[in-house]
Amino acid sequence: MLEVRNFPVNKIYPFASSRSVGKKIRFKSQEYEVIELTKENVEKYAKDIQLALFSAGASVSKEYAPLFAQKGIYVVDNSSAWRMEKDIPLVVPEVNPHTLSKDKKIIANPNCSTIQMVVVLAPIHRYVRIKRIIVSTYQSVSGAGGKAMVELFNEAQVVLEQLKKTDSLLTFNNSFFCVEKQQPSVFPKQIAFNLIPQIDIFLENLYTKEEMKMVNETKKILESPDIKISAQCVRVPVFRGHSESVWIETEKKITVQQAKEILSIAKGVKVIDEPTSQDPRLRYSTPVECAQKQITYVGRIREDLSCENGLVMWIVSDNLLKGAALNAVQILEEMVTRKIV
Amino acid sequence: MLEVRNFPVNKIYPFASSRSVGKKIRFKSQEYEVIELTKENVEKYAKDIQLALFSAGASVSKEYAPLFAQKGIYVVDNSSAWRMEKDIPLVVPEVNPHTLSKDKKIIANPNCSTIQMVVVLAPIHRYVRIKRIIVSTYQSVSGAGGKAMVELFNEAQVVLEQLKKTDSLLTFNNSFFCVEKQQPSVFPKQIAFNLIPQIDIFLENLYTKEEMKMVNETKKILESPDIKISAQCVRVPVFRGHSESVWIETEKKITVQQAKEILSIAKGVKVIDEPTSQDPRLRYSTPVECAQKQITYVGRIREDLSCENGLVMWIVSDNLLKGAALNAVQILEEMVTRKIV
């Protein structure tokens, strides 16, 4: 993303764990050797570093982000470690760039499913105040990492091989559709041609951590602690791109046409919503169509038949881009624009 | 299903279009020749027939169901042709069996995604009155027929073959994940490793016909025209088994524990809801686990954080069984129990 968006980088310092030492990272046709992430190396290199992008999980971030920050380095962290800390900005540049400031050295990059939702909802919220959000997600396996993609690939191969041996896909022997789960595995159940209504661990209130991230991060990013939110997060056998069915209830009435007009000029959003178009691409977006696109798509915008002032919609975006790397780089860009760095 | 459930059948008369004439149907180790569906043949065979199961689409049903009914034959119709007709019972035996009666010759079998939802919601509705329902579906391709299953199979094979040629699944060439859509096709877009937020055609209110089936049929089956309902129906790359994220708002408070108790004794329903169990099978149900099971599974039952008296849940059932053939045969069984036939 730094390369694709041509962010002005003089030199990169690829930090990683000892396992990766010896590996090389290619950036703008130059190779850089991996530096082991240790306190000593942070001391050693800090004076040459201006910005740090963290994407190594919450525990590494908890330990090392402050070390960088103490040296005056701005850290944009992709983990959940800092997101809900009171003094840490949780930033989606199209939504709350004003929360960035010179004195906030650590900046949190929100959860993937949250980002794509708020980038669409924020312009509506500004216009008519959203009171309540209900969201059911359809999240791709890449959100669980590269190994998860391999797991889907391998399981899908097993199922297809089994099905080749049957006379008919309408076979009444369901075992052909099932794979035996190999251990260790990323997912707790089969993901190929199946669904898993669990992302991350379960919390005491019976929601998963992923669901509560959507609840809490959305309130923080929209700076509206009173919005009522409920989420159900489901893993689907898609490689890349998260999708969401979203219902909103607003304080004032907003028509479908008004919502479309607002969203058609919203930054980072593209309305694809001509359901009866001759051209299937214009009807609504789907994950394979959103992959590698630096934008969030919204469609199927219509009135919520179950409440007075409500809308339903379908939101799709590349979880590896807007949901992660793109948003992080956009935060850096915003910091440049605001002359913070 | 007639065979599996040992419904008392003396003889079957397999009617079909002229294309199927010459084919034979095996039932309880006996073979029956297909009879062409014509007015003449209805006249010819009607006197020997007591019950008719229709599963040939709305237009055939509109034309032929009345011909059978006029001869005093009870017709259980799986199409949408009669469902919303005022005098036609729309029956889920666990929910509204009392709507069956001697004088109602045509009985409609509801839409698959509706059946599995109401079988779970009806016991709760009786207890605390449901005011509002929001549902996001995850519907398998078998709901679109055998050809749709083949389409998913073929597309998945193409994608996997393409991915085998890549160095890494994290390839930045998205074309490896895409297939070119062959025409004619069942689905308007790629379904393998993708999602399609459209089932059936679009209506004037921007909902699909499938979504409005869920809205209207649910109200009719629960005999509660005032319930507010909104649905978003999405096709997912799963062969068999529909899943649903369902939010309900009730008139009176119902706790998670109360809901579980009610559902644990509800007919046709099984609660699988121990999210932190050591045994993954007990945590929640998934489509591959529900396939070929004659039951509807509910889990992930928890409070709706976005409203006072609300619950969220995850409902899974085999769309070809409870969503179609099983419910139809259960209607026949109920008619026997009630001495209607």
Side-chain angles (χ1 to χ4, degrees):
Chain A
M1 267 300 114
L2 289 167
E3 205 175 300
V4 168
R5 292 180 69 89
N6 207 22
F7 187 77
V9 175
N10 284 329
K11 201 175 164 197
I12 66 160
Y13 298 79
F15 284 86
S17 73
S18 55
R19 275 173 301 152
S20 296
V21 171
K23 285 191 189 165
K24 284 174 180 171
I25 299 291
R26 219 182 167 71
F27 181 75
K28 287 192 176 173
S29 67
Q30 228 182 303
E31 281 201 332
Y32 296 87
E33 267 189 46
V34 165
I35 304 161
E36 188 178 351
L37 183 62
T38 61
K39 280 184 190 178
E40 294 69 33
N41 279 335
V42 176
E43 283 290 338
K44 185 174 167 188
Y45 292 101
K47 63 178 190 312
D48 302 322
I49 298 172
Q50 197 176 6
L51 300 167
L53 288 165
F54 268 57
S55 189
S59 58
V60 173
S61 186
K62 272 280 179 205
E63 189 178 348
Y64 284 93
L67 298 185
F68 280 76
Q70 279 153 23
K71 299 282 178 188
I73 300 167
Y74 288 95
V75 177
V76 176
D77 178 39
N78 200 34
S79 83
S80 64
W82 305 97
R83 288 178 190 156
M84 294 313 296
E85 295 280 321
K86 196 170 159 294
D87 288 329
I88 304 279
L90 181 65
V91 181
V92 178
E94 296 89 341
V95 180
N96 61 344
H98 57 273
T99 57
L100 292 166
S101 70
K102 265 206 184 298
D103 61 317
K104 303 273 167 62
K105 299 294 180 194
I106 300 178
I107 300 114
N109 201 34
N111 178 48
C112 48
S113 44
T114 309
I115 296 176
Q116 68 179 69
M117 185 168 81
V118 296
V119 85
V120 172
L121 296 190
I124 297 174
H125 185 50
R126 271 180 226 120
Y127 189 68
V128 282
R129 307 301 295 171
I130 293 171
K131 290 193 322 192
R132 184 181 178 188
I133 302 168
I134 283 179
V135 52
S136 193
T137 72
Y138 301 68
Q139 295 180 237
S140 69
V141 298
S142 56
K147 279 183 191 161
M149 296 176 82
V150 174
E151 196 163 306
L152 170 56
F153 177 86
N154 288 339
E155 287 185 1
Q157 271 205 306
V158 172
V159 172
L160 292 186
E161 285 306 317
Q162 287 170 176
L163 289 175
K164 277 182 201 165
K165 293 178 199 147
T166 65
D167 295 339
S168 155
L169 289 176
L170 282 165
T171 171
F172 269 82
N173 186 344
N174 189 48
S175 65
F176 287 111
F177 295 100
C178 299
V179 294
E180 231 180 288
K181 205 72 195 165
Q182 305 297 319
Q183 292 306 332
S185 69
V186 177
F187 298 114
K189 300 204 179 195
Q190 173 180 337
I191 185 62
F193 308 108
N194 201 25
L195 308 165
I196 303 175
Q198 177 188 357
I199 297 179
D200 212 329
I201 57 169
F202 281 97
L203 304 175
E204 232 176 89
N205 68 356
L206 304 174
Y207 281 75
T208 59
K209 207 170 166 185
E210 180 82 359
E211 287 158 357
M212 290 314 294
K213 282 177 187 173
M214 291 195 79
V215 171
N216 295 322
E217 294 181 19
T218 299
K219 291 179 187 183
K220 178 167 175 174
I221 298 164
L222 295 179
E223 298 167 277
S224 303
D226 294 338
I227 297 184
K228 308 279 184 224
I229 307 172
S230 182
Q232 180 141 290
C233 293
V234 180
R235 192 71 74 185
V236 297
V238 166
F239 284 103
R240 200 167 164 169
H242 285 0
S243 308
E244 298 171 346
S245 290
V246 179
W247 281 261
I248 57 165
E249 196 174 332
T250 56
E251 271 177 27
K252 278 183 289 184
K253 177 84 185 165
I254 178 169
T255 66
V256 171
Q257 197 46 43
Q258 283 170 324
K260 281 189 182 177
E261 277 164 24
I262 289 166
L263 291 171
S264 68
I265 55 167
K267 268 196 289 183
V269 175
K270 191 173 164 81
V271 178
I272 299 200
D273 198 5
E274 297 174 37
T276 53
S277 169
Q278 282 297 315
D279 183 349
R281 289 169 300 180
L282 303 181
R283 292 178 196 159
Y284 40 73
S285 190
T286 70
V288 296
E289 293 165 291
C290 86
Q292 293 183 25
K293 301 277 168 60
Q294 297 182 36
I295 208 150
T296 299
Y297 297 93
V298 59
R300 300 242 35 219
I301 304 167
R302 59 203 191 278
E303 283 197 22
D304 176 354
L305 301 176
S306 74
C307 85
E308 202 65 42
N309 300 330
L311 293 176
V312 198
M313 61 196 78
W314 172 250
I315 299 172
V316 190
S317 197
D318 187 328
N319 53 300
L320 301 182
L321 298 188
K322 188 56 184 169
L326 170 63
N327 197 69
V329 173
Q330 285 173 323
I331 290 173
L332 297 185
E333 292 171 352
E334 188 67 34
M335 287 166 75
V336 172
T337 305
R338 293 181 174 254
K339 298 191 166 50
I340 291 170
V341 291
Chain B
M1 266 302 112
L2 289 168
E3 205 174 303
V4 168
R5 293 181 67 90
N6 208 21
F7 187 78
V9 174
N10 282 331
K11 201 176 163 195
I12 66 159
Y13 298 79
F15 284 86
S17 73
S18 55
R19 275 173 302 152
S20 296
V21 171
K23 286 192 188 164
K24 283 172 181 175
I25 299 291
R26 220 182 167 71
F27 181 75
K28 288 192 175 173
S29 68
Q30 228 182 304
E31 281 201 331
Y32 296 88
E33 268 189 45
V34 165
I35 303 161
E36 188 178 352
L37 183 63
T38 60
K39 281 184 190 177
E40 294 69 33
N41 278 336
V42 176
E43 283 289 338
K44 184 174 166 188
Y45 293 101
K47 64 178 190 312
D48 302 321
I49 297 172
Q50 198 177 6
L51 300 168
L53 287 164
F54 268 57
S55 189
S59 59
V60 173
S61 187
K62 272 283 178 202
E63 187 177 350
Y64 284 94
L67 298 184
F68 280 77
Q70 279 153 22
K71 299 282 179 186
I73 300 166
Y74 288 94
V75 177
V76 176
D77 178 40
N78 200 33
S79 83
S80 65
W82 305 96
R83 290 177 187 156
M84 295 312 297
E85 295 280 320
K86 196 171 160 292
D87 289 329
I88 304 279
L90 181 66
V91 181
V92 178
E94 296 90 340
V95 179
N96 61 345
H98 56 273
T99 56
L100 292 165
S101 70
K102 264 204 183 302
D103 61 318
K104 303 274 167 58
K105 298 295 180 194
I106 300 177
I107 300 115
N109 201 35
N111 178 47
C112 48
S113 44
T114 309
I115 296 176
Q116 68 178 68
M117 185 169 80
V118 297
V119 84
V120 171
L121 296 190
I124 298 173
H125 185 51
R126 271 180 226 119
Y127 188 68
V128 282
R129 306 302 296 172
I130 293 170
K131 292 194 319 194
R132 184 180 178 189
I133 302 168
I134 283 179
V135 53
S136 193
T137 72
Y138 301 68
Q139 296 181 234
S140 69
V141 297
S142 56
K147 277 183 191 162
M149 297 176 81
V150 174
E151 196 163 306
L152 170 56
F153 178 85
N154 289 339
E155 287 185 1
Q157 271 204 307
V158 171
V159 172
L160 292 186
E161 285 306 317
Q162 288 170 178
L163 289 175
K164 275 182 204 166
K165 291 178 201 151
T166 66
D167 294 339
S168 154
L169 288 176
L170 282 165
T171 171
F172 269 82
N173 185 344
N174 189 48
S175 65
F176 287 112
F177 295 100
C178 299
V179 294
E180 230 179 289
K181 206 70 196 164
Q182 304 298 318
Q183 293 304 334
S185 68
V186 176
F187 298 115
K189 299 205 181 198
Q190 173 180 337
I191 185 62
F193 307 109
N194 201 24
L195 308 165
I196 303 175
Q198 176 188 358
I199 297 180
D200 212 329
I201 56 168
F202 281 98
L203 304 175
E204 232 176 90
N205 68 355
L206 303 174
Y207 281 75
T208 59
K209 206 170 167 186
E210 180 81 358
E211 288 159 355
M212 290 313 295
K213 283 178 186 173
M214 291 196 79
V215 171
N216 295 322
E217 294 181 20
T218 299
K219 291 180 187 183
K220 178 167 176 174
I221 297 164
L222 295 180
E223 297 167 276
S224 304
D226 294 337
I227 296 184
K228 308 280 184 225
I229 308 171
S230 181
Q232 181 140 292
C233 293
V234 180
R235 191 71 74 186
V236 297
V238 166
F239 284 104
R240 203 167 161 169
H242 285 0
S243 308
E244 298 170 346
S245 290
V246 180
W247 281 260
I248 57 165
E249 195 173 335
T250 56
E251 272 178 26
K252 277 183 289 185
K253 177 85 186 163
I254 178 170
T255 66
V256 171
Q257 197 46 45
Q258 283 172 325
K260 280 188 182 179
E261 278 165 24
I262 289 167
L263 292 172
S264 68
I265 55 167
K267 269 195 290 182
V269 175
K270 191 172 165 82
V271 178
I272 299 200
D273 197 3
E274 297 174 39
T276 53
S277 170
Q278 283 297 315
D279 183 348
R281 288 169 300 180
L282 302 181
R283 293 179 197 158
Y284 40 73
S285 191
T286 70
V288 296
E289 294 166 290
C290 86
Q292 292 184 25
K293 302 276 168 60
Q294 297 182 37
I295 207 149
T296 299
Y297 298 93
V298 59
R300 302 245 29 223
I301 304 167
R302 60 202 191 280
E303 282 197 23
D304 176 354
L305 301 175
S306 74
C307 85
E308 202 66 41
N309 301 329
L311 293 177
V312 198
M313 59 196 79
W314 172 250
I315 299 172
V316 189
S317 197
D318 187 328
N319 54 300
L320 301 182
L321 297 188
K322 188 57 185 169
L326 170 62
N327 197 69
V329 173
Q330 285 174 322
I331 290 173
L332 298 185
E333 291 171 351
E334 188 67 35
M335 289 168 74
V336 171
T337 306
R338 293 181 174 254
K339 299 192 166 50
I340 291 171
V341 291

